[in-house]
Amino acid sequence: MSIFTQLISELFNILATFVMVLPYLIGYVLLIMLTLGIWRIVRRFMTPKQDFGALKTVTFGDESAVTSNSAASVISIVLIFVLWGSFTGSRWLPSVLHMPGAFQGEAGFSYTIELPDGSTQDATVDVVVFGAGENSPKLSVDEGAQSAKNDGVVIQAYRNKLLKWDANDEFSRKDGAKIIAINGQSIAPGGEAFVSNLRVAVTPKGTLNIEPNKGVQMEPIWLPAPEAVKDRLVEIATAGFKNFMLVEHLGYSLFRVIVGFFFGALVGIPLGYAMGLSDWFRGWFDPIVEFMRPVPPLALIPLVIIWAGIGEVGKIILLFLAALWIMAIAARAGVSGVRISKVHAAYSLGASKWQIMRYVIVPNSLPEIFTGARVAMGVCWGTVVAAELVAAEKGAGMMIMVASKFQQTDVVILGIILIGAIGFAIDMLMRWAEKIMVPWKGRG
Amino acid sequence: MTTDHGLNINNLSMRFDLPNGGSVQALKNVNLHLKSGELMSVLGPSGCGKTTLLNIIAGFLAPTEGEIQLNGSTVTGPSAERGMVFQQGALFEWMSVRENVGFGPKMKGTPKGEIRETVDHLLDTVGLGDFKEKAVYELSGGMQQRVALARCLANDPDVILMDEPLGALDALTREKMQSLVLKLWKETGKTIILITHSVEEALLLGERLLVMAPRPGRIHREYRLPFADLGVDQDLREVKKHPDYAEKREEILSMIWDMEEEIMGRMEAQS
């Protein structure tokens, strides 16, 4: 099969998935529109704002009239947690909001068997379904007096069980006995019947396959409830994860980012200045920088591991390389972006080259360098997590990778949330630093 | 005619190659002498080399022929004795108004107390006494140009070169700034060369008015005008009522108009 046909069939798979997801997307959008409608009605009862924006008659298409509606933001975040809780049966939500969950409790059905001589007998099956993580309960069954004995089965929610109904009977399938009806509905091998909370199928070989109703909630191993993630946070924060405390995992990741970025900036900024100030340096490094910049730092991981191993040095080399080109390009842009009239003005005010550098070029390039630093920190954070996914003893990425191998989905989700929160905090911190350090940004 | 005093521009030519193989004669045989304390405005259609001329005087460009002498010594590069005021955006926005104005003296290593005195005095003179500690980006365009003037004066240069310093200002602010330039000229007695696109500004702010012509850039005509002296203690709107003013204005306008027409004609012929 050629690559082309392979890709086409992949594309069809993807399209099929997309079509499957589409109703959910549409539902989500409808939910957004619904809350918008409710918000509009609610707003009518509030004191109207009388600011300048509220007096604009043209808002559709006026970019400045569109500011982020904080009510929508709040609802959006709350909704994510509500949906999460609703599909996982969270204890934090009133059970009215829960999606139908997997069936738990007692159920049962009767079946009819036909013997080779044409006579029929009835027996019952008692089913107990217990939740994941609970201890499997004991079930005692009154087998009854008839030759087809009553059966009992204990099943974990989301699982199914094969029942050899003839195991305790006085005759067996080998003798030619077969099930012909479930709860009075006739059934053939390979068929299935739905009784309350159960799906009962007869396999081609005649065994019963009992599957309790799964509902539409997610199984905890796919998506744990929010409180499970919180409990796991408390557990990992106090007891640690894989020999290291949570703060150690996160601290190591942060340490790598900060040290890698620091060295990247330490080399990258002077390199960028040299490229911005000297044609020889620009010519020398342009091909190198322009080539290395589009190479994703992640692609360097294998080489860095070969050269420097999986220890701290290797990680810091990787982050150094991730930050280096970004900082060099930012510093170069900062120098090149200096308005020539500022330099001319400084020269005709008697400044020397060194003074031009110190008082004009460096401060003028600071806004660009800060923008570069923000980008570099973001890239470094992404790179460190990826590098830890590949190989590490500690770190946020290692934490979620190891957890995924043990299907500890709660740790994975917790890790993703923490990684996201830290990335967001880094960006906020950089913005704040930018505001304090270069208040003139964009106002020259 | 060469004297040791003032600014001498001797037989200045500027010609440079273009990437496409051609070359541009930006200036040809420009001769000029400015006495110390003279105020000269320079006018001309775009492409007549007036900014090039100013950049050569400032020392940012080296002429291909001829030389410039200030008080007897040849200009080879930028220096504090030739201050420059730009149209806009030449202030250092990372410094406060005070730091901007004190920049020149600071570069020279003037003691802090002395800088402070100079800056205070100059900012009061240009009417920014209340804005000394502000950031420059907090000021309006007109105020920023006041800072630029003060910054230039703080260095006590022999010659002040102004490259359309008022070009980006609105009409009212511009008029106030024109009065300020005249006031500063009279108070400090500096030699000032001012490039402008506005005929009115050139008339008001030039004891001498130089009209330049393009291709190659050269001095087309020179006027001596009384309006700058009048404007020092009169309202500029009164000066504009002077009988000669309207006449000179029309004359120069049509002169420049003709040059622009000629350029357009040539461009059409080329294409």
Side-chain angles (χ1 to χ4, degrees):
Chain A
M1 208 163 45
S2 75
I3 173 105
F4 184 71
T5 47
Q6 280 178 36
L7 290 180
I8 290 286
S9 81
E10 291 291 350
L11 200 60
F12 272 108
N13 280 338
I14 292 162
L15 277 178
T17 313
F18 179 72
V19 169
M20 260 172 55
V21 173
L22 207 55
Y24 296 95
L25 281 180
I26 293 168
Y28 186 63
V29 172
L30 288 178
L31 211 54
I32 295 173
M33 303 311 286
L34 180 74
T35 49
L36 172 62
I38 295 170
W39 170 247
R40 288 216 167 134
I41 294 166
V42 169
R43 206 175 46 181
R44 249 181 248 161
F45 298 103
M46 294 169 27
T47 346
K49 262 200 298 183
Q50 202 62 25
D51 63 359
F52 185 67
L55 297 171
K56 284 183 181 173
T57 55
V58 175
T59 53
F60 188 79
D62 177 0
E63 187 268 334
S64 65
V66 179
T67 50
S68 177
N69 188 326
S70 47
S73 304
V74 171
I75 294 173
S76 148
I77 299 291
V78 169
L79 186 69
I80 287 174
F81 279 89
V82 167
L83 283 176
W84 182 8
S86 165
F87 277 94
T88 52
S90 169
R91 274 185 279 113
W92 290 349
L93 274 188
S95 49
V96 219
L97 291 175
H98 288 172
M99 289 288 146
F103 171 72
Q104 284 180 38
E106 295 181 2
F109 60 92
S110 68
Y111 61 89
T112 310
I113 55 172
E114 190 185 58
L115 296 172
D117 60 6
S119 66
T120 60
Q121 287 206 11
D122 285 351
T124 61
V125 179
D126 291 339
V127 178
V128 174
V129 184
F130 66 98
E134 293 172 16
N135 287 328
S136 142
K138 289 273 176 289
L139 175 67
S140 60
V141 182
D142 173 16
E143 292 195 329
Q146 76 279 31
S147 53
K149 305 290 187 211
N150 292 338
D151 300 288
V153 62
V154 177
I155 310 174
Q156 190 185 335
Y158 296 108
R159 301 282 177 273
N160 60 335
K161 211 154 202 181
L162 290 174
L163 173 66
K164 295 200 174 93
W165 47 271
D166 53 347
N168 57 353
D169 294 350
E170 287 162 14
F171 42 79
S172 71
R173 281 175 290 152
K174 278 183 198 145
D175 303 330
K178 61 179 185 193
I179 289 185
I180 56 162
I182 302 284
N183 270 6
Q185 297 168 255
S186 59
I187 195 166
E192 60 179 15
F194 293 91
V195 301
S196 67
N197 298 322
L198 301 175
R199 187 181 76 97
V200 182
V202 180
T203 65
K205 285 184 168 174
T207 324
L208 282 175
N209 184 5
I210 303 166
E211 190 179 72
N213 198 339
K214 285 183 177 163
V216 291
Q217 284 188 12
M218 300 284 283
E219 216 178 321
I221 56 161
W222 303 129
L223 179 67
E227 66 265 22
V229 174
K230 192 218 87 186
D231 293 344
R232 187 62 81 149
L233 171 64
V234 173
E235 186 203 315
I236 292 180
T238 52
F241 181 81
K242 301 290 164 200
N243 307 327
F244 294 101
M245 301 298 286
L246 180 66
V247 279
E248 286 182 285
H249 285 297
L250 299 179
Y252 261 92
S253 295
L254 267 177
F255 166 81
R256 290 162 183 157
V257 166
I258 290 166
V259 174
F261 168 78
F262 173 78
F263 283 108
L266 198 68
V267 178
I269 293 174
L271 174 61
Y273 279 154
M275 289 175 75
L277 293 168
S278 146
D279 64 338
W280 188 254
F281 272 85
R282 162 97 44 124
W284 190 285
F285 283 107
D286 247 349
I288 301 175
V289 170
E290 292 302 331
F291 178 77
M292 287 306 290
R293 185 179 58 155
V295 175
L298 303 186
L300 300 172
I301 292 178
L303 189 63
V304 168
I305 290 179
I306 292 172
W307 283 355
I310 63 163
E312 292 312 306
V313 177
K315 301 237 172 354
I316 288 184
I317 289 175
L318 184 70
L319 296 176
F320 164 78
L321 289 174
L324 177 67
W325 314 118
I326 298 174
M327 293 313 290
I329 287 164
R332 185 186 71 186
V335 176
S336 313
V338 62
R339 216 187 268 217
I340 188 59
S341 57
K342 288 194 210 305
V343 175
H344 278 171
Y347 271 120
S348 53
L349 288 167
S352 65
K353 272 187 183 174
W354 171 245
Q355 285 169 325
I356 298 266
M357 185 76 194
R358 159 85 179 70
Y359 293 106
V360 182
I361 291 175
V362 170
N364 189 79
S365 65
L366 281 181
E368 288 277 2
I369 288 179
F370 261 91
T371 308
R374 251 180 72 199
V375 174
M377 282 299 265
V379 170
C380 279
W381 184 240
T383 307
V384 77
V385 170
E388 289 165 355
L389 288 179
V390 174
E393 287 187 326
K394 37 199 172 296
M398 166 269 172
M399 203 170 83
I400 59 176
M401 197 61 193
V402 170
S404 85
K405 286 179 180 156
F406 295 96
Q407 191 97 35
Q408 285 172 309
T409 315
D410 44 3
V411 178
V412 173
I413 288 178
L414 172 65
I416 291 170
I417 292 174
L418 287 175
I419 289 166
I422 291 172
F424 181 70
I426 289 175
D427 199 56
M428 285 289 121
L429 208 68
M430 297 299 285
R431 279 181 204 217
W432 173 77
E434 195 173 43
K435 230 181 209 169
I436 302 289
M437 310 267 290
V438 286
W440 65 88
K441 186 181 181 185
R443 307 169 88 164
Chain B
M1 180 186 75
T2 307
T3 55
D4 265 5
H5 211 57
L7 185 73
N8 271 308
I9 299 174
N10 301 324
N11 207 23
L12 199 72
S13 290
M14 182 73 176
R15 180 191 179 88
F16 51 86
D17 297 332
L18 292 174
N20 63 16
S23 69
V24 173
Q25 185 81 47
L27 290 173
K28 191 164 189 182
N29 298 334
V30 175
N31 282 291
L32 200 64
H33 174 71
L34 261 92
K35 278 188 294 212
S36 187
E38 267 186 321
L39 171 63
M40 185 174 78
S41 54
V42 182
L43 201 59
S46 34
C48 70
K50 49 191 194 301
T51 298
T52 308
L53 177 64
L54 206 69
N55 280 333
I56 295 174
I57 299 172
F60 303 142
L61 289 172
T64 41
E65 271 171 63
E67 62 168 8
I68 291 175
Q69 287 190 329
L70 179 60
N71 300 335
S73 55
T74 307
V75 166
T76 53
S79 136
E81 67 198 2
R82 279 160 283 122
M84 187 128 177
V85 180
F86 295 87
Q87 182 169 16
Q88 231 180 10
L91 293 178
F92 307 132
E93 60 266 19
W94 45 89
M95 295 180 188
S96 67
V97 169
R98 172 183 294 286
E99 288 169 321
N100 262 283
V101 177
F103 184 81
K106 187 178 173 185
M107 294 303 105
K108 270 187 261 177
T110 314
K112 275 188 183 161
E114 211 174 297
I115 297 180
R116 212 179 159 78
E117 255 173 58
T118 316
V119 172
D120 277 336
H121 169 71
L122 279 170
L123 284 175
D124 288 337
T125 311
V126 299
L128 290 176
D130 295 336
F131 299 90
K132 289 170 186 160
E133 312 305 332
K134 290 264 183 209
V136 286
Y137 53 77
E138 291 174 292
L139 304 184
S140 67
M143 286 170 153
Q144 288 185 359
Q145 287 312 86
R146 286 168 194 262
V147 177
L149 284 173
R151 182 174 73 172
C152 191
L153 287 170
N155 227 14
D156 198 24
D158 295 331
V159 179
I160 299 180
L161 308 168
M162 299 188 179
D163 190 359
E164 294 187 48
L166 313 180
L169 304 178
D170 66 273
L172 260 167
T173 313
R174 194 168 185 161
E175 206 174 282
K176 282 187 204 155
M177 292 294 289
Q178 287 164 349
S179 298
L180 178 66
V181 169
L182 284 178
K183 181 184 138 195
L184 292 175
W185 169 58
K186 209 68 211 172
E187 277 180 14
T188 60
K190 299 288 178 200
T191 314
I192 298 179
I193 301 177
L194 178 131
I195 286 182
T196 179
H197 260 113
S198 152
V199 175
E200 298 204 350
E201 191 165 282
L203 286 168
L204 292 170
L205 300 187
E207 276 184 301
R208 295 169 67 182
L209 192 165
L210 208 63
V211 181
M212 293 183 69
R215 292 166 186 248
R218 61 196 187 275
I219 296 173
H220 183 69
R221 196 140 174 218
E222 202 194 317
Y223 294 84
R224 281 193 173 270
L225 301 165
F227 311 117
D229 276 322
L230 294 174
V232 170
D233 13 62
Q234 259 187 58
D235 192 299
L236 290 184
R237 258 166 278 181
E238 290 304 314
V239 177
K240 286 180 191 171
K241 289 177 190 154
H242 193 280
D244 286 352
Y245 180 84
E247 186 195 321
K248 283 276 181 300
R249 187 168 151 263
E250 284 313 310
E251 185 184 329
I252 294 170
L253 264 176
S254 51
M255 191 185 296
I256 291 178
W257 186 249
D258 288 346
M259 289 187 214
E260 299 267 12
E261 291 268 273
E262 202 194 321
I263 296 171
M264 293 294 283
R266 256 192 266 174
M267 279 166 76
E268 273 166 27
Q270 273 173 9
S271 60

